[in-house]
Structures are given as structure tokens and as C-alpha cells.
Amino acid sequence: MTGIPKQLPFTNGAGKQWLSEMMPGFILCLVVGMAAKFVSEHYGGPTILYALLMGMSLNYLSQEGRCIAGIQFAAKSVLRFGIALLGARITFEQLLGLGFTPIAIVLAGVPATILFGYFCGQWLKLSKSQSVLSGASVGICGASAALAVSAVLPEDKESEKNLIFTVISVTALSTVAMIAYPLIVTGLNLSEAESGIFLGATIHDVAQVVGAGYMMSDDVGDVATFTKLLRVAALVPVVIVISLLFAKKGKAKSQGGSSLPLPGFLIAFVVIVAINSTGYIPQLVLDGMTELSRWCLIIAMVGLGMKASFKELSEMGWRPIALMVAETVFLAALVAIWLFMAR
């Protein structure tokens, strides 16, 4: 019968060779990711951090052997696919329902934190890419923002090490904030709405925002979660702007030879958010996309961890840590001042 291919894409020689190269490393990352998920569910703590640390303990596997190609595939291709699916978590209606105050705080806080990180990083003699990466991770949504922004920053020999260091640092700071910030908002005598806005606008990772918010009350948790979603939505324009800026300087990463400076995963993210906002995607499908995105990011973090080592991270010195702590304090102070002025 004409018009029907005699072979499926992965049954020809090239497809079989690709699978044989990718599968060992990919399956390894999946198994380690499942172990990280198990530890997180049974003993507490962020899954992504466990995945990263477990991957780093297997760093030698990325140096030689059959797993190299699959680890690289997990750290790049799976990562970008997972970022695109993050769009299934938010809608425009959710964000607009927050009112003016959290929107204004996010619109001011996100770019201010990134700019603060950039100039502070320059003062600390860090690279522009590392300064922007840390500022975006603190200002937007922690590890997810770091993963997305790193995909449009210029590649060099330090790129992956900077990303891994940023993910570890921002996750650790977010965990500390989850414990400390509820005590801070209580000491500042903030209302439930103000407490939720503060937690959602300052804590880095979504999971820690939810934990800190609902630790105080359901109302605080609801406001904190929606405020955090607004920060997550800021990922789209921020990555677009960063991509355009580096493209203008002729430094952007190659995106398959396309003249469009925007990476495909970012376009897919925006499209998914827009479609999700229409309400046409069934809830079962949204749940599946969200879960798949979560697993893609876990697998990607295992792959990234396998490509780094504790020795390499220890050689980065005190400056990157000082930068991220300074950005965290700056963002918290900015939001607190804004809330007091808005009363």
C-alpha cells in the first residue's frame, strides 16, 4: 500500500542506534529520580535537591561508559520538555484574581532582584551569566527559573557548574526561608493577606511557599500560593527578555539554526499557558501534564548532578554564596517595606 512507511522511525538503523545510546543513561537517571522521590516522600525534603545530590554522587558515570549520551539527553532535552509543561500549572485568570498589590510587588520585585543580582555580581567579580542566573532564580521561582534561564544563557565551560551551584543554593535558602519567614511575618504583625503575599513573593521554590503558607493557616496558604504563581508567570517575559538581550549581543545559544531568538520550549510554555487559560484542557490531562513535568525536572536534575562534582563546586569560592544570600535579603526587605507602605 503506497503512502505508508515500511518502517517506524525507531525501527530503522539510525533509530535503533539512537535508542541504544540514549536508554542506558536515561534509565539510570529515571531510577535515581525514583529513589529521590521515595526518600522525599518517606523522610521529607525537596525531591529536586535529593535528585541533584544523588546524581552528583554518581558523577563518575558521566566521565566514561555507556551512560554518557543518556545523561546528556536527560540534562538538556528532558529538561526543556519539562519546562514547557510547567505551563499546565497556571492560568491567566488565577493570576488576575490576585488583585493589584501582589501584581505590583511581583512586577517591581522580580526585575529589581535580577538587576540587584547583576550589579552585585559585577561588584563581586562574577560573570554576567552567573549574576543573571542567580538573580532570576531568587526573584522568580527557584530551581525551575534557574533551569529555564540557563537554557537561553550563553554556554561556556562554567555554565553547568554555575547552574548546579545555583540550584543547590537556592533550594537550601528556600528551605531555610520556609522555616524562618513564618516567624518573621508573625513578628512583624502582618495580616493573613499580607503574610500570604510576603511568603509568596519572597520564598524561592513553590513547594516551600506552600509549606510555609499552610503551616500558618489555609487562608495564608491560598494567598501565598497564588502570589507565587504570579512570580512563576514572570518566568515567561524574563526568559524572553534575557533571550533577546543575549541574541542582540550575538551571544545566544544556537537553537537549531533558527533565526528566531526564542527557544522552542519557551514558545511551547506560553502556548500551554494560553490554552490552559481557555479551560478547554480536561483536568485529567492537566494533572498528567503537571506530573510529567515534575518527573522530567527530577530526571533532568539527576542528569545535571551526574555531570558535576562536589570538588568542582567547592572550588567556586564564597562569592556566589554571598551573592545569593544578598539577593534573598534584598527581596525580603523590598517586599516587607512595600507591604508596610501600602497599608
Side-chain angles (χ1 to χ4, degrees), residues 133-146:
L133 182 65
S134 65
S137 66
V138 171
I140 305 175
C141 54
S144 298

Side-chain angles (χ1 to χ4, degrees), residues 318-330:
W318 61 270
R319 288 182 175 84
I321 298 176
L323 175 61
M324 299 202 72
V325 172
E327 290 165 344
T328 300
V329 173
F330 170 81

Side-chain angles (χ1 to χ4, degrees), residues 22-296:
M22 294 299 117
M23 291 308 291
F26 175 78
I27 292 176
L28 173 66
C29 291
L30 175 60
V31 171
V32 175
M34 293 171 66
K37 182 72 170 175
F38 177 86
V39 173
S40 176
E41 290 178 346
H42 289 76
Y43 299 98
T47 304
I48 280 185
L49 182 59
Y50 286 139
L52 186 59
L53 296 176
M54 289 181 180
M56 292 177 68
S57 69
L58 300 172
N59 167 257
Y60 66 93
L61 293 174
S62 67
Q63 306 300 319
E64 59 181 359
R66 298 181 57 197
C67 295
I68 295 177
I71 293 172
Q72 180 72 11
F73 173 74
K76 287 196 172 182
S77 299
V78 175
L79 167 63
R80 296 184 178 190
F81 184 70
I83 292 171
L85 291 179
L86 284 174
R89 300 186 184 187
I90 59 177
T91 65
F92 296 135
E93 182 181 1
Q94 286 177 322
L95 303 177
L96 294 175
L98 293 172
F100 175 74
T101 299
I103 293 176
I105 289 177
V106 170
L107 289 177
V110 170
T113 303
I114 295 174
L115 288 173
F116 174 83
Y118 175 81
F119 289 112
C120 189
Q122 297 300 290
W123 181 69
L124 290 170
K125 302 187 186 305
L126 298 173
S127 68
K128 293 180 180 179
S129 294
Q130 186 173 4
S131 302
V132 171
L133 182 65
S134 65
S137 66
V138 171
I140 305 175
C141 54
S144 298
L147 295 171
V149 171
S150 69
V152 297
L153 288 173
E155 281 185 343
D156 55 44
K157 62 181 181 180
E158 303 293 328
S159 295
E160 291 180 348
K161 185 164 65 175
N162 290 341
L163 173 60
I164 293 169
F165 183 89
T166 300
V167 169
I168 291 176
S169 300
V170 80
T171 303
L173 288 171
S174 187
T175 302
V176 172
M178 179 182 67
I179 300 170
Y181 283 9
L183 300 177
I184 291 175
V185 297
T186 301
L188 294 174
N189 293 318
L190 298 180
S191 66
E192 285 195 333
E194 291 172 335
S195 297
I197 292 172
F198 180 87
L199 297 177
T202 56
I203 299 178
H204 313 323
D205 287 321
V206 176
Q208 278 82 349
V209 169
V210 173
Y214 287 103
M215 186 188 304
M216 298 187 68
S217 73
D218 288 346
D219 290 337
V220 173
D222 290 341
V223 175
T225 301
F226 282 121
T227 303
K228 182 62 183 178
L229 288 176
L230 184 58
R231 287 173 70 196
V232 174
L235 183 63
V236 177
V238 167
V239 176
I240 289 175
V241 170
I242 292 174
S243 179
L244 291 172
L245 287 175
F246 279 102
K248 184 179 292 187
K249 296 179 181 179
K251 297 180 180 179
K253 293 181 183 180
S254 172
Q255 299 293 333
S258 172
S259 60
L260 184 66
L262 302 182
F265 76 88
L266 178 59
I267 296 173
F269 180 92
V270 175
V271 170
I272 292 174
V273 171
I275 296 175
N276 187 28
S277 299
T278 65
Y280 288 132
I281 303 179
Q283 187 59 46
L284 182 62
V285 175
L286 286 177
D287 292 343
M289 294 172 68
T290 300
E291 186 66 17
L292 180 58
S293 172
R294 183 178 295 113
W295 274 105
C296 284

